[in-house]
Every structure is written in structure tokens, then in C-alpha cells.
Amino acid sequence: MSSGDDGADRGGRETPPKHGLAGPEPDERPHPEGRRNSQGIRIDPEVEATHEPRRAVFSALVEDEPGVLSRIAGLISRRQFNIESLTVGPTTVDGHSRITMVVEETEPDIDQIRKQLGKLKPVITVGELDEDAVRTELVLLKVEGTEPDKVHAITEMYDGQTLDAGAETITVQLTGDEQEIDDAIDAFRQFGIIEIARTGYAALARGNQPTAPGEKPGTADEPTRPTNTQ
Amino acid sequence: MSKQAPTPDEEPADADPETGADAERAADFRPATTGAESVVHALENAGVEAAFGVQGGAIMPVYDALYHSDIRHVTMAHEQGAAHAADAFGVVNNEPGICLATSGPGATNLVTGIADANMDSDGMLALTGQVPADMVGSDAFQETDTIGVTAPLTKHNYFADNPDSVGDTVGEALALADEGRPGPTLVDLPKDVTLGDTDTEPGPAEPPETTRPQYVADEENVAAAADAIEAAERPLLLFGGGVIKADATEAARSFAREHEIPVVTTMPGIGSFPEDDELCLSWAGMHGTGYANMAITHTDLLIGVGTRFDDRLTGGVDTFAPEAEVIHVDIDPAEISKNVHADYPLIGDAGTVLGQLDDAVDAAPDADEWRRQCQEWKQEYPMDYATPDDEPLKPQFVVEVLDEATADDTIVTTGVGQHQMWASQYWTFTEPRTWVSSHGLGTMGYGLPGAIGARIAADDDREVVCIDGDGSFLMTIQSLSVAVREELDITVAVLNNEYIGMVRQWQDAFFEGRRMAAEYNWCPEFDKLAEAFGARGWRVDDYDEVADTVEAALAYDGPSVIDFHIDPAENVYPMVPSGGANGKFALTEEQL
Ligand SMILES: Cc1ncc(C[n+]2csc(CCOP(=O)(O)OP(=O)(O)O)c2C)c(N)n1
């Protein structure tokens, strides 16, 4: 914008000297009392609104194209969100995969994760699962083989299976929710755990609720279409 | 999906009988026989008129196919320039610009320009050559993982793996770049795919099924937002770059005027609302006007349209518009409540939603006192600078002279630094797509290649002026050879302070004046350099020479450079220090 005066003769030195910027000092200006928190939410100065992190389980139906997992992982990590687990596998529809992702973040960040995932081109639909969703994890445990009977008993107790039993090691498979698996691992500690492989959650919504928004019982003929669920 | 190839006589092209080369290029429709030809047909089908790039081994098949096309190809001197030129071409024409590069170094040179377009939501399609698919991953000559490198910088990128589908992929990438919130897309083209045989003609360019932006906002939310507008005492419109991208400037202008709501813009939103309109408070943010920042600080209802509330706009979010409820209109749901919480989220196309809001607002807000207050702030904190006789040339004066000497539809491009701020502060922008700059990424070197792209996009009767800094100009100065070769009428005004000035300003303010690596007093003489490139060049040190030289440079029909030696001590004010409160902008260094 031009300065306040009409600058009579701009081409030459007759232009009257200007004064530079002026106005009251920063602290002399009136300032409102209000404030926002770091999420940009207006807050009552008395009660500071803070968000505790919570755990969220996302389910996304994606087009099964090369690099889709790295795109999702990359998007999450470059925004400095922490992924607790990430699983992926095919669905009933050719060319579609389901990704289940667990994160622990604050409410606004969980909202951002959902929206950012929704923007990715290979993502057909994505949503957060309710608390009551069916979720389960698989773990393989390799323990010392010195007390096979006891190992077998604990495996039975947690409805596990023995996959491999040798003179030196025994490998078992367990499934369950996080608490069950943590408990089982604790119980196996007495034998000396040599190695563990955990998969992270696979999850589906309970009952006839769709797992990802707009998801229909997938068939090859009528795959789920993208929805405007934002 | 099988496509019907048009018969040869369906698309006759203009042959220029004058020269042998053109005769040979006479582009009678040629059915695609290779992946590369299919790529070029996809571009032609989408109406692409120009492309910017640099040749190279892996992209050669595509260039060979361009040989027979009417698409104007501008050979750039560096791929960064190709990306910036494509970006600016797209900004001026409101369509994705096209850039091409070979694999490896060509592709990596594009990266800065792609990142720049991504941050500014500029539609753009980058086509990169790649080593043959069966060599990918073997660290072959000139191989880079272009998909990996550009994945975080694009809306989406594609690895084309089949000559039969490569044309459709390019069409999809182009459509996706333009859909909803625009942005750059990239197609990586392995040489065996572009050389590969195919007789498949690409179909119409369509965005992928999985992307379905929502254009119309939820009516209930619109009604609630309309109520808030009617009830507001200190309403303020904040127009971002999205208003321009959505071609919503008419809707935005009439909404503001009809309801008499003062307007601030963001820096990318410059041109969305005429800066000489009484309602306009110009742009807010780090170096925005005092009055815009005062208005932001005191509004009770901020209506943000097509803005992402970038930190250069908001300062510290804790002090941003602290009293205001926020209505946020944006086509990208992920922008809603990302940086500033939206009390009224309106997801949709800016023009459509402004229309919806306009219908829903029954009575203009009662804001006489607020409007008077805004005008008062204009008086209190005018944009001004000192020009005593004995002082060296002031950059703001140069910008004002350039503005006065040119028409309203003149396109201004810039580099990044103090000169960019002075250009945006002291030029009075009234039209959309006349301010073409690098905002989100802040890329030095955008100005000159940007001017080339803008020049190719704009009608001949419009002026294109690049206001550059000495440091920024040096970053992509090789593009001058392109402007000369292509006989492009561009005027470059270098605001030469022999510093990377913005850095010097920060060092003086925040690093106790330790000017480490900020001095550029080894600058070449840009007027002579311009002449060496085959352009016209002038050097100006004095107030008396400014107007005449500007006139001569504008009159010269070709690229010209004026090296304005300006006051090296001049700084940009007002300034909101990073993370500070908008309302506490400093007007002098002492106030920082
Ligand atoms: C590619 C790039 N490198 C570094 C920077 C950091 N930077 C921001 S402003 C600036 C100074 C720009 O100097 P100049 O182009 O001469 O403009 P002036 O500030 O002097 O007007 C620098 C180095 C940048 N923005 N872009």
C-alpha cells in the first residue's frame, strides 16, 4: 500500500521527508484479556484446558498399492506422532487391504491423525474404533526348554499353542488383548524368555457396526466406496 | 479399460509451413505407439499448453514425443527453475503447471520447487524420468528413489509401471493436482515404460476414486455460523490463498461489502481483496500492517476463509485472536482446528460456502464502532518510511515507483527476504493472481523462474515484474539465459543491499549484531551480468534516477534488470517476533 501522504512528486527529491513508522509502543496498546492454549482453543484463564494422551485404534481400508504402508508410516512419523503398532493384511476385496494402527496421543492430535490419513490417496476410508471393538494380538514366545511340562501347563492356561518343542527351547503362540498377553508374558518369565515377536493389534468393530466408516460387507463385485466422513 | 484411438483426421494441428522444423513437427494426430506418446497425449487431452524442464537420459523418450506436440516446452537452465516456473505458470492461470526432469540429479533438483508448491497448495505436475524398471533398486546410473524422496512433498506420487496405463496415470495425476485443495503430484517414468510399445490412448483426465472433496458445507453449521456473524460486534474476515485458488474473489468481495465486514488477508491471500478498498486492512502476520494485526488481536469473530493459520500469520497461537470465536471455511478437513480451533467448521469450496453464508446471514452485524476503530488504527500505524535527502535509496520508494508506473494487472514475483516484504507491503495489490511468491517454504530464488512462468502464462499486454534480493537473484540467476533465449518481456528489480538482508536484520535484532555469513559484498554487478546474458541492465543509486530507469526498463521489450543499490541498513517493520503476539508488533528494533 502507498504511504499515507499523496507523495506529490515521486520521481524526484521534492518528495517531502517521511517519518517512518509511528504509533504507540507495544505495551501502551490496549490488549484483550483472552488467551488460547497450545492447540489454539480459547481458554478460561482460570481453568487451563489440557489434554491427556489416550490410546486410539484406527482402522483404514486402503488400496493395496506398492508403498502404501510406508506412506502411512511416513505421514505419521513426520508429524511426530508415535505409532504403537501397525498391522496390515488383505480383505475380502481384491486389491484392498486393512490397516489397523494404534497410537497414543492427545485428543486434537488423534483428530489430526484421522484427517491426515483420510487425505492420503490410497486410503478409501478410515475411522477410529470404539472402546468395545474386538481387538486381538498374536505373540510368539521362545522360552528355555528345561521344564516342558510346566511350560505346557501355562500355555494351556492362556489358551495358547505349542508350535515347536525341542530339547533346548519351546516356542508357543498366544493371542488375546494386550492385558492377557502381558499377563502371559509375565507368567512365562520364570522359564527364561529367549525371544518374543508381537504383531500388534488386528481389530474389528463389534456387531454389525462397520469397522471403517461407510464400510460394507466387502465383495469383489461391490467394494466399499470412499465416503465423505470428515 | 480399453480406449478408442481418435482417427488421424479428427485432430488436425496447425502446421507452420515457414520452417522445415515446424513442418516436420506438423502435429497431425499420431496414434500413440509408445508409453511416452501416450504420456504426451494425456497432457494434450487435458489442454496443457506449456511445460518447463531440462532434458536427460531417462526422460528423453518423453521429450521425443513432445517433438511432435503443440505443447510449448521451455527449456530451463536448472530444474529448480523449471519447478518454480511451472508453479508460477499455474498460479497465474489457475491450473496445474507442468515440469519435467530426468532421473537422479534432474529429479532431485526439482525437489525444492515441488516442496514449495506443496507448502503453497499450488497445483503442479512433475514428470520425472527413471531408470528402467528392472534396474530400479540397483543404484543404476542416475538412479534416485524419486518416489521416496518426494512422497512427503506431494499430494500423491505415482510410479508408472506399464506403457498401456501410463497415459491414464499421468491424466489422473494431473486431475488430482487440481482437485479440491490443489497441490503437486509426480509421476516417475521408467525409461522402459516410456519406450515401451502401446496403442492405448489415454482416457479423459480424472481424479482417483478415493478422493472425494466436499464442496458444499453442512447447512446446520452454516446456519450456526450465520447467527454468529449477525451477533458479532467486531467481525473480521481473514482471506487466505485458498480464496484465490478457489476462484472465489468475487464471492469474497461481495460478501465483505454487503455485510460491511473489515478484511485482512494472509500474505498468500494478497489480491483476494483490493488493498485500496476502505474495508481492507491489508495483510496480517509477522511483517503485516499494524492495523491488520490490531484488528486480528481485537476481533470477536474471525471468519477465516481458505487459510491454514500458518505460524507466520498467527505468531504464538496462545495470543492469536484471543477474544475471537472462529469460523473456518476450508476445503481440506485436516486444516480445520489444526492450528487454531474452529468454533464453526465449514468444510467446502470457498466460493460455494461464502454463497451459502451469504444466503444465511439475514442482517449485517452491527459494527459501526468497530469499523471506525479499524480506520483509526490505519491512522495510528500507517505504513511509512523515512526518505531524507541525504540517505541512500530506500527500497520502499523503489517499490512504490514501480507500482505507480505499472497497471493494476501487473504480475509481481519475488525472491525471499526483506525485498519480498517490502514488495508485499508497499505495492497496492488489487487483483488476484498478481502476487506470485514463495510463502510457506520461503524459497530464495523463486522470483526469476517464477517471472518466466508468469510471463508464459500471461497475456502479452500485461507487465511481469520480479522484485528480487541480491541473494535470492543469485540463487537462480542462470534462468536469465532462458528469458533471453525465449525473448520474454520481464523486468527484474533487484533491491541490492549487499546483504542477505533478512538474515542481517535478525542477527542485529536477536544475535547481538554478529553478522556471520550475511554479507554479500562480493556481489557481481548485476547490470553488467544482465548484459552478459544478453538482457538489458541498469544500475541505480539515486532517487533521481529511479522513475526514468523504471520507465526505460518497462519499455524495453525483453528481459531487463535494474540493480537498485539501496540503503543496506534498512529493515522491515512492523515485525511480530516469532511466537509473539500479533498486537505487540514492533515498529523499531528497540521495540523487539
Ligand atoms: C533457499 C534458501 N536458503 C536460505 C534461506 C534463508 N534466508 C531467508 S531470507 C534470506 C536472505 C535473503 O537475502 P536477499 O535475497 O538478498 O534478500 P534481502 O533480505 O536482502 O532483501 C535468507 C538467506 C531461504 N529462505 N531460502
Side-chain angles (χ1 to χ4, degrees):
Chain A
M1 65 246 63
S2 297
S3 49
D5 68 340
D6 61 4
D9 178 5
R10 289 177 179 279
R13 290 194 178 201
E14 291 92 89
T15 309
K18 300 187 181 183
H19 305 291
L21 297 176
E25 300 258 332
D27 287 326
E28 290 164 12
R29 299 171 204 148
H31 285 282
E33 292 291 299
R35 214 157 70 75
R36 293 177 186 274
N37 67 11
S38 59
Q39 265 89 36
I41 303 172
R42 268 191 317 146
I43 49 175
D44 180 339
E46 304 301 315
V47 257
E48 177 98 10
T50 52
H51 294 279
E52 290 303 321
R54 68 172 175 88
R55 179 170 289 204
V57 181
F58 287 103
S59 188
L61 271 190
V62 302
E63 289 190 323
D64 186 15
E65 58 184 45
V68 59
L69 199 58
S70 91
R71 277 177 210 278
I72 286 180
L75 177 133
I76 301 297
S77 71
R78 80 178 165 266
R79 290 176 185 269
Q80 298 287 305
F81 299 131
N82 194 23
I83 302 178
E84 300 218 331
S85 78
L86 182 61
T87 62
V88 60
T91 68
T92 50
V93 180
D94 262 2
H96 284 187
S97 291
R98 180 186 308 284
I99 288 181
T100 309
M101 183 168 72
V102 182
V103 296
E104 187 162 319
E105 289 294 345
T106 61
E107 203 57 55
D109 286 349
I110 287 170
D111 194 43
Q112 261 302 302
I113 291 172
R114 182 179 56 76
K115 289 169 168 173
Q116 293 291 344
L117 286 176
K119 277 171 69 168
L120 289 178
K121 184 242 148 192
V123 173
I124 300 159
T125 171
V126 56
E128 193 193 333
L129 286 170
D130 290 345
E131 278 295 312
D132 73 338
V134 180
R135 52 183 98 176
T136 194
E137 187 176 2
L138 182 145
V139 62
L140 301 181
L141 275 173
K142 188 184 287 178
V143 299
E144 307 268 2
T146 43
E147 294 173 288
D149 293 349
K150 279 193 181 174
V151 171
H152 187 67
I154 304 263
T155 307
E156 298 254 285
M157 204 169 107
Y158 284 99
D159 286 336
Q161 277 172 286
T162 304
L163 298 184
D164 177 46
E168 316 226 314
T169 65
I170 299 170
T171 302
V172 301
Q173 165 189 307
L174 302 159
T175 55
D177 70 16
E178 192 183 28
Q179 191 60 50
E180 279 174 274
I181 290 194
D182 284 348
D183 289 350
I185 291 172
D186 269 349
F188 278 103
R189 267 188 226 287
Q190 54 180 305
F191 310 116
I193 299 175
I194 302 166
E195 283 168 346
I196 288 185
R198 286 178 80 150
T199 60
Y201 272 135
L204 289 178
R206 203 168 277 279
N208 51 12
Q209 210 184 327
T211 294
E215 185 172 356
K216 282 179 272 182
T219 64
D221 299 333
E222 204 204 345
T224 300
R225 318 287 288 190
T227 47
N228 278 320
T229 50
Q230 310 279 0
Chain B
M1 201 168 15
S2 85
K3 305 260 158 54
Q4 274 286 290
T7 51
D9 49 17
E10 262 178 39
E11 288 185 26
D14 303 327
D16 183 350
E18 302 257 309
T19 69
D22 282 348
E24 195 187 332
R25 288 174 183 218
D28 282 327
F29 182 81
R30 298 156 47 92
T33 58
T34 64
E37 281 167 3
S38 188
V39 167
V40 170
H41 288 187
L43 299 177
E44 288 168 343
N45 292 351
V48 167
E49 287 166 17
F52 304 84
V54 179
Q55 262 279 23
I59 196 74
M60 280 177 72
V62 178
Y63 271 91
D64 190 50
L66 276 171
Y67 187 81
H68 295 289
S69 173
D70 287 337
I71 293 173
R72 174 173 183 183
H73 178 268
V74 182
T75 302
M76 300 298 290
H78 186 292
E79 291 85 353
Q80 182 188 350
H84 292 326
D87 177 317
F89 178 93
V91 171
V92 171
N93 271 358
N94 198 22
E95 63 189 48
I98 314 290
C99 56
L100 297 109
T102 194
S103 64
T108 55
N109 273 352
L110 278 186
V111 167
T112 302
I114 294 172
D116 189 285
N118 194 46
M119 288 288 272
D120 285 347
S121 311
D122 292 336
M124 187 166 107
L125 170 64
L127 298 175
T128 49
Q130 183 55 279
V131 302
D134 61 2
M135 291 175 79
V136 165
S138 71
D139 299 328
F141 178 65
Q142 294 196 326
E143 182 191 350
T144 41
D145 175 9
T146 304
I147 293 294
V149 169
T150 59
L153 312 173
T154 49
K155 253 179 113 166
H156 190 66
N157 58 18
Y158 299 78
F159 184 82
D161 57 3
N162 187 337
D164 291 335
S165 58
V166 65
D168 282 333
T169 302
V170 166
E172 178 177 304
L174 189 55
L176 177 61
D178 202 24
E179 192 200 35
R181 177 183 182 168
T185 58
L186 178 144
V187 184
D188 204 26
L189 300 162
K191 197 168 181 178
D192 56 333
V193 171
T194 48
L195 281 177
D197 293 340
T198 183
D199 55 5
T200 315
E201 293 295 337
E206 277 164 7
E209 282 261 310
T210 48
T211 56
R212 298 258 171 99
Q214 178 182 325
Y215 288 91
V216 183
D218 181 85
E219 275 300 338
E220 239 173 79
N221 292 356
V222 169
D227 289 347
I229 292 173
E230 286 170 26
E233 286 171 12
R234 304 187 302 280
L236 184 66
L237 281 160
L238 170 67
F239 291 150
V243 171
I244 297 170
K245 290 179 201 310
D247 250 336
T249 49
E250 279 317 311
R253 290 168 184 211
S254 70
F255 187 86
R257 287 175 180 143
E258 181 163 339
H259 306 290
E260 290 187 271
I261 301 174
V263 175
V264 300
T265 73
T266 67
M267 202 193 207
I270 287 174
S272 56
F273 199 77
E275 293 187 319
D276 56 4
D277 188 301
E278 185 167 335
L279 279 174
C280 192
L281 306 171
S282 295
W283 58 279
M286 182 174 277
H287 290 297
T289 63
Y291 32 101
N293 282 319
M294 288 301 276
I296 290 257
T297 304
H298 291 271
T299 173
D300 66 351
L301 181 70
L302 186 63
I303 310 158
V305 187
T307 168
R308 62 192 175 91
F309 294 105
D310 173 79
D311 54 276
R312 289 282 144 133
L313 167 74
T314 61
V317 279
D318 55 335
T319 47
F320 179 73
E323 307 268 87
E325 291 206 291
V326 172
I327 298 175
H328 191 181
V329 179
D330 207 289
I331 194 147
D332 181 355
E335 286 308 331
I336 306 281
S337 298
K338 185 177 87 176
N339 296 332
V340 170
H341 177 76
D343 302 281
Y344 304 93
L346 299 179
I347 299 164
D349 167 73
T352 310
V353 179
L354 281 168
Q356 288 178 277
L357 268 180
D358 198 33
D359 291 342
V361 175
D362 293 325
D366 183 8
D368 285 351
E369 171 56 23
W370 169 242
R371 281 189 294 273
R372 193 195 51 70
Q373 173 67 72
C374 290
Q375 294 307 317
E376 217 165 84
W377 281 324
K378 277 193 189 176
Q379 304 304 317
E380 225 166 335
Y381 306 102
M383 289 303 295
D384 211 344
Y385 57 93
T387 56
D389 272 1
D390 52 353
E391 256 189 326
L393 189 55
K394 292 289 181 181
Q396 300 94 329
F397 179 81
V398 173
V399 172
E400 284 183 343
V401 171
L402 277 162
D403 183 14
E404 300 241 325
T406 51
D408 280 353
D409 65 359
T410 299
I411 298 168
V412 179
T413 73
T414 73
V416 167
Q418 292 180 314
H419 64 278
Q420 177 189 28
M421 298 303 143
W422 290 316
S424 55
Q425 289 176 331
Y426 287 90
W427 193 291
T428 306
F429 290 91
T430 56
E431 299 300 325
R433 304 181 202 292
T434 54
W435 166 249
V436 183
S437 192
S438 167
H439 304 107
L441 199 67
T443 310
M444 288 169 71
Y446 181 89
L448 180 57
I452 289 171
R455 176 74 280 163
I456 305 272
D459 294 340
D460 285 348
D461 55 355
R462 291 177 74 179
E463 294 283 0
V464 175
V465 174
C466 168
I467 297 178
D468 225 338
D470 43 315
S472 292
F473 191 39
L474 274 176
M475 288 231 173
T476 49
I477 198 165
Q478 68 293 69
S479 309
L480 209 45
S481 63
V482 179
V484 171
R485 173 179 14 89
E486 301 280 331
E487 300 177 13
L488 303 180
D489 188 11
I490 291 167
T491 305
V492 181
V494 183
L495 302 182
N496 186 349
N497 51 12
E498 299 196 0
Y499 277 109
I500 49 175
M502 189 58 100
V503 169
R504 200 262 304 132
Q505 177 169 346
W506 283 50
Q507 286 170 329
D508 289 352
F510 308 116
F511 293 88
E512 296 169 357
R514 292 184 293 274
R515 297 178 172 183
M516 177 67 189
E519 283 168 51
Y520 261 33
N521 46 15
W522 58 86
C523 249
E525 294 177 58
F526 290 122
D527 52 334
K528 294 189 183 153
L529 202 53
E531 301 279 351
F533 271 106
R536 286 294 316 274
W538 293 268
R539 175 190 168 118
V540 172
D541 298 278
D542 201 277
Y543 282 99
D544 292 337
E545 302 160 12
V546 176
D548 288 348
T549 316
V550 161
E551 204 176 305
L554 290 171
Y556 178 67
D557 190 15
S560 56
V561 175
I562 317 175
D563 188 10
F564 288 104
H565 281 250
I566 58 158
D567 183 354
E570 189 65 15
N571 281 338
V572 182
Y573 288 103
M575 177 175 192
V576 180
S578 318
N582 287 41
K584 296 205 175 185
F585 52 87
L587 297 163
T588 61
E589 192 173 327
E590 293 72 52
Q591 292 181 355
L592 279 170

